[in-house]
Amino acid sequence: MIERGPLNIVGAGPAGCLLAILLQRRGFEVTLYESRRDPRGGPGESGRSINLALADRGLHALEVAGVYADVAAGMVPMRGRFLHQPDGTELLQPYGRRPGEVIHSISRHRLTVALLEVATRRHGVRVEFEHRLTDLDPAGGAALVQDLRRGRTLTVPMGPLLAADGGGSAARRCLSDRGLVHVVEAGLDHGYKELSIPAARDGGYALAPNALHIWPRGNFMLIALPNTDGSFTATLFLANRGAPSFAALDTAPRIREFLSTQFPDAYRLMPACVDEFQAHATGFLGTVYADPWNFKGMVGLVGDAAHAIVPFHGQGMNCCFEDCLEFDASVGAESTWEAALGRFQAVRKPNADAIAAMALENYQEMREHVIDPKFLLRQRLSLELERRHPRRFIPRYSMVMFHHEIPYRIAQLRGAVQSRLLDELTADAATLEDIDFERAGREIERLLSPMPGDHAPT
Ligand code: FAD
């Protein structure tokens, strides 16, 4: 068993907070070092992805950590994609077949505050706000943390130091600068901008509330997620350069012209969109591949610090929460930190790589394919095959979003087999009536082994 004692985590985001709760519960005395101010008592930071989609993997981790009840009141269920097509027609595509197959919109600020409250008040985790990790000294076994209020630098022992300091991780950068970790930061040529749709005059929602709204436009898209106060947070995903692009939208008239012609219905609901467009920074999107995720049992990377992904599957934070459960299990299973950090990476890296790839694929699906008739037929057929063969055929989207018991890597592998089968079955089909379901059944029996667990027909 790893000896219990003081343990330092850098970064009090979703991953750092949940990890602190789990490890404090295991008997460690956790201190979190966070570079920002204490978010409790203040409003959230606008312009930085203020709400997130929480799905089964994240919910499961919150339940295991005993935090679910503390965040549930802040969640708005979303039952499907609500598509706003260029010709003005609208279409609701349900995410799954079963009533519980929904995802939840939650405010990042509210979630962080709830996690911090549970960590500090219920479990006694210590949090040092306005403390920034600036450097690591692997030879000396210590990290340098700057106390931003008092202007002094602390030396924090790395026995170990767990780095949950996000996609731009300073810990990862320090390790990579010293050649101790190989890092690839693959930036996307698209960025994002946050806009807002306020509540309607009567305080209600200006759009259907229980859905994730998408305005797919081929090479770019707008999405909107509901908040509990009747507003929506909208995000524009667009190329950084070219036409159209963030670089080209450099004056108020150009921004107004673009938004009002591409998204006329949404534009009417966003009175401040031009000001917000100019005030909010364009966010960077990319995938981080790091290897290894640790250094000699002294430093371990967790969450986005180890594997930031693009947000198009709504899984980044869900994946980070799963990390926390696996990290906690690894600490319970091993007798040294080096072994625990190694086990954590061995289990999680194949899964993190799988969701990274699936998230990239989903970008094209969201902005382009969702309005393609062939895609819609494949989607309907997937749900029908799941209804007929619930233990063997589960749509890939459902495996990722609604089945925490199916690892990402398995979802990716089975999804590839299913995708080929869907290609074959829909090659000459225009509707479900054209599908040869007997052949489908035979192929499913041949290609897809039954899944363990309860996948009863409904
Ligand atoms: P972070 O949330 O980045 O937290 C890191 C923390 O470390 C921060 O509090 C930061 O202040 C602190 N920190 C940073 N550097 C230092 C330092 N040097 N010293 C001390 N502290 C430091 N995920 C989903 O699951 N669903 C979604 O719908 C979704 N939507 C997204 C939309 C967008 C536009 C983006 C960009 C991301 C989205 N994500 C989503 C991904 C999700 O935001 C991340 O996966 C998640 O926030 C990662 O959590 P983390 O704790 O690892 O890192």
Side-chain angles (χ1 to χ4, degrees):
M1 187 171 101
I2 297 177
E3 197 182 329
R4 302 310 188 238
L7 183 60
N8 300 309
I9 301 179
V10 177
C17 287
L18 194 68
L19 193 60
I21 291 169
L22 292 166
L23 294 178
Q24 183 91 5
R25 245 178 29 173
R26 216 172 246 289
F28 294 94
E29 297 150 35
V30 178
T31 302
L32 275 166
Y33 292 96
E34 165 59 47
S35 56
R36 295 190 195 166
R37 288 202 190 130
D38 189 341
R40 290 169 291 185
E45 198 186 348
S46 78
R48 306 294 298 172
S49 158
I50 65 168
N51 54 15
L52 301 158
L54 192 51
D56 185 55
R57 290 168 202 273
L59 294 172
H60 172 68
L62 293 175
E63 264 168 27
V64 172
V67 189
Y68 175 77
D70 300 273
V71 302
M75 301 185 329
V76 183
M78 300 183 288
R79 304 190 190 290
R81 291 168 171 157
F82 196 110
L83 301 179
H84 301 258
Q85 309 206 44
D87 64 4
T89 53
E90 297 177 339
L91 173 71
L92 178 68
Q93 289 178 353
Y95 280 130
R97 275 184 329 105
R98 299 177 174 84
E101 292 187 339
V102 299
I103 58 178
H104 302 267
S105 172
I106 185 158
S107 134
R108 184 189 285 269
H109 176 71
R110 199 162 165 173
L111 177 66
T112 308
V113 165
L115 289 170
L116 275 170
E117 284 290 290
V118 174
T120 53
R121 290 185 198 274
R122 198 175 303 157
H123 297 286
V125 170
R126 221 177 102 208
V127 191
E128 298 287 2
F129 290 101
E130 297 177 69
H131 279 63
R132 183 192 303 281
L133 175 84
T134 53
D135 204 359
L136 300 179
D137 171 16
L144 300 184
V145 174
Q146 206 181 352
D147 177 344
L148 302 173
R149 270 171 301 191
R150 296 180 191 82
R152 55 177 192 178
T153 300
L154 317 180
T155 307
V156 172
M158 302 200 295
L161 179 87
L162 305 181
D165 51 346
S169 171
R172 190 183 69 231
R173 196 196 58 238
C174 294
L175 293 173
S176 126
D177 285 351
R178 289 179 173 80
L180 303 174
V181 166
H182 177 64
V183 178
V184 176
E185 294 175 5
L188 206 62
D189 49 11
H190 286 55
Y192 73 94
K193 182 86 74 178
E194 198 174 284
L195 306 170
S196 65
I197 298 176
R201 282 219 185 95
D202 64 359
Y205 289 95
L207 294 164
N210 294 121
L212 191 155
H213 292 262
I214 309 183
W215 289 259
R217 296 295 183 263
N219 200 31
F220 54 94
M221 68 174 177
L222 181 74
I223 68 167
L225 277 72
N227 298 309
T228 48
D229 64 359
S231 67
F232 282 81
T233 302
T235 311
L236 172 68
F237 294 97
L238 177 68
N240 292 319
R241 267 168 260 294
S245 70
F246 284 116
L249 297 178
D250 52 357
T251 62
R254 284 184 184 152
I255 296 165
R256 187 171 301 110
E257 157 79 10
F258 174 75
L259 295 176
S260 62
T261 50
Q262 294 298 336
F263 315 107
D265 51 343
Y267 176 75
R268 284 193 288 276
L269 302 174
M270 299 192 292
C273 61
V274 176
D275 290 344
E276 287 175 341
F277 196 104
Q278 292 182 307
H280 293 167
T282 303
F284 168 86
L285 296 170
T287 308
V288 170
Y289 305 92
D291 194 27
W293 288 355
N294 52 67
F295 174 65
K296 286 192 175 168
M298 276 192 216
V299 187
L301 305 176
V302 186
D304 270 19
H307 52 64
I309 63 176
V310 294
F312 305 114
H313 219 307
Q315 280 291 310
M317 177 187 59
N318 287 278
C319 176
C320 292
F321 282 168
E322 250 190 356
D323 269 9
C324 295
L325 289 190
E326 192 54 52
F327 196 99
D328 183 50
S330 297
V331 170
E334 300 292 346
S335 51
T336 65
W337 278 110
E338 196 159 356
L341 295 175
R343 180 187 188 276
F344 169 67
Q345 173 172 354
V347 175
R348 286 304 288 167
K349 184 145 175 40
N351 290 307
D353 288 344
I355 188 59
M358 291 190 284
L360 280 165
E361 283 169 29
N362 232 39
Y363 188 28
Q364 212 174 0
E365 177 172 317
M366 282 177 87
R367 64 190 187 179
E368 220 168 287
H369 296 164
V370 280
I371 40 178
D372 172 22
K374 204 72 175 180
F375 172 83
L376 296 176
L377 176 62
R378 284 167 64 97
Q379 209 192 24
R380 273 198 288 276
L381 178 57
S382 293
L383 293 175
E384 178 57 22
L385 292 176
E386 185 188 26
R387 194 184 67 75
R388 291 171 184 240
H389 309 277
R391 294 204 55 215
R392 289 178 191 264
F393 192 107
I394 304 173
R396 189 179 87 176
Y397 184 84
S398 300
M399 285 193 273
V400 170
M401 302 304 275
F402 308 129
H403 290 275
H404 69 262
E405 76 287 0
I406 303 177
Y408 288 126
R409 179 71 183 133
I410 301 294
Q412 186 188 34
L413 291 172
R414 290 182 75 102
V417 174
Q418 294 180 174
S419 176
R420 282 194 292 276
L421 183 57
L422 291 171
D423 282 345
E424 287 168 23
L425 293 171
T426 58
D428 301 314
T431 71
L432 279 190
E433 281 72 53
D434 303 329
I435 302 295
D436 181 348
F437 282 103
E438 270 185 31
R439 175 183 167 211
R442 282 195 307 276
E443 289 297 294
I444 288 172
E445 291 270 327
R446 188 171 73 81
L447 296 169
L448 296 162
S449 58
M451 301 292 286
D454 175 23
H455 300 289
T458 52

